[in-house]
Amino acid sequence: MAGFHVMADARGMHVQPTVRRITIDDLRDALRLGAEDFWAKPSHYVFLCLIYPIVGLILTQWTSGANAIQLIYPLMSGFALVGPFAAIGLYEISRRRELGMNTSWRHALNVRHSPALPSIAVIGIMLLALFLLWMFTAQSIYTSLFGDQPPASIGGFIREVLTTSRGWTLILLGNAAGFVFAVIVLATTVVAFPLMLDRDVGAVSAIETSARAVMANPLMMALWGLLVAVLLVVGSIPLFAGLAVVMPILGHATWHLYRKVVEPERAQQIRRPM
């Protein structure tokens, strides 16, 4: 497959897009533009994103049926880890709307024709691996504190977590571990997928550009990550139904954040052989 490339762009070069410094006003504007994209044709986007609450309900039912109640919260918070990849179709819709092209929901599937699909798949697999590692870590923390015995009921588990020392330890250690995973995902993918859709730069360049964007804007990116995590958790609370609105708005907003953080492509952008 001559067109198959992952580490570099189609010419075998490593591209280093220029990143900008942003302000809190840029974050607000990205959210505003994301909401505008969503409300332009909300029925289409809600239809597309119903898959997220449906998957959430299935996962919750599976863990409950398997006496794995302790994994419900890690599953809910884990949406923040796979969210950048899950929203790939929404970036495409925002890209097309920006260019004045048809933005029917079916065009979200056009990502499968992107020349950057191999790179997108590689980073998507990386996020899936991080999600599975997070679930394993969460279960390991629970087992170290509560043993191999699963919770007898949701009510009993909640009382145990909120009223005992080992429950508070579970909260502290679990959230600390989750924070580490969230930072890794934010630092490696905050603009990676929109960048690959916009320019076929390769997975390495996309991850590197995300890292440079975070280093150039540590406070704003931390605020963005906190905002995403809070909105995803809030959207997950009412039986995951809120994700049908939260996910598309955040997905579109991420595209606009990318536009604010990364300089437009120029002829003199830095390229070097891999």
Side-chain angles (χ1 to χ4, degrees):
M1 295 178 61
F4 188 94
H5 53 280
V6 172
M7 304 302 291
D9 67 8
R11 289 171 284 186
M13 306 296 288
H14 180 68
V15 185
Q16 294 180 299
T18 303
V19 299
R20 304 182 181 115
R21 291 185 179 275
I22 59 172
T23 67
I24 194 168
D25 289 335
D26 291 314
L27 297 186
R28 290 198 194 99
D29 197 43
L31 280 173
R32 179 185 63 80
L33 293 171
E36 286 183 3
D37 284 353
F38 171 72
W39 289 115
K41 292 183 180 179
S43 59
H44 290 171
Y45 300 150
V46 169
F47 176 82
L48 175 66
C49 294
L50 280 177
I51 187 174
Y52 302 116
I54 289 172
V55 169
L57 285 171
I58 291 172
L59 290 174
T60 301
Q61 181 65 29
W62 173 72
T63 54
S64 299
N67 289 324
I69 297 169
Q70 72 277 9
L71 293 180
I72 291 178
Y73 176 76
L75 279 170
M76 292 168 60
S77 56
F79 273 108
L81 302 181
V82 297
F85 178 68
I88 190 76
L90 300 167
Y91 310 145
E92 176 64 12
I93 293 294
S94 286
R95 186 187 73 85
R96 294 179 65 87
R97 188 165 186 257
E98 182 181 276
L99 296 173
M101 302 170 68
N102 189 307
T103 55
S104 173
W105 66 266
R106 63 181 176 275
H107 289 293
L109 302 177
N110 285 354
V111 173
R112 70 186 188 278
H113 300 304
S114 170
L117 185 60
S119 299
I120 291 171
V122 165
I123 300 183
I125 292 170
M126 180 191 78
L127 292 184
L128 178 59
L130 284 171
F131 174 78
L132 295 176
L133 182 59
W134 156 241
M135 295 302 297
F136 174 79
T137 301
Q139 178 63 29
S140 298
I141 293 173
Y142 171 83
T143 302
S144 69
L145 294 169
F146 290 85
D148 295 328
Q149 188 66 26
S153 67
I154 293 179
F157 177 65
I158 292 176
R159 284 193 300 272
E160 184 77 14
V161 169
L162 297 180
T163 62
T164 66
S165 59
R166 64 178 180 174
W168 281 103
T169 302
L170 177 67
I171 292 174
L172 292 174
L173 291 180
N175 281 287
F179 175 77
V180 172
F181 278 93
V183 169
I184 293 172
V185 170
L186 179 71
T188 55
T189 66
V190 65
V191 296
F193 290 108
L195 174 60
M196 288 185 292
L197 276 180
D198 189 37
R199 317 177 209 175
D200 183 15
V201 298
V204 171
S205 179
I207 291 174
E208 181 189 81
T209 302
S210 290
R212 288 191 290 111
V214 171
M215 288 188 290
N217 303 278
L219 183 59
M220 291 300 101
M221 289 302 179
L223 182 58
W224 176 256
L226 177 62
L227 179 64
V228 169
V230 169
L231 288 177
L232 286 176
V233 170
V234 170
S236 300
I237 290 173
L239 297 177
F240 295 89
L243 292 177
V245 174
V246 170
M247 278 295 298
I249 290 179
L250 286 177
H252 294 307
T254 299
W255 171 266
H256 295 291
L257 180 69
Y258 155 69
R259 282 300 194 203
K260 293 178 180 299
V261 172
V262 179
E263 289 276 2
E265 188 171 18
R266 296 173 181 172
Q268 67 267 31
Q269 67 180 0
I270 301 172
R271 292 179 181 268
R272 54 183 172 82
M274 287 293 293

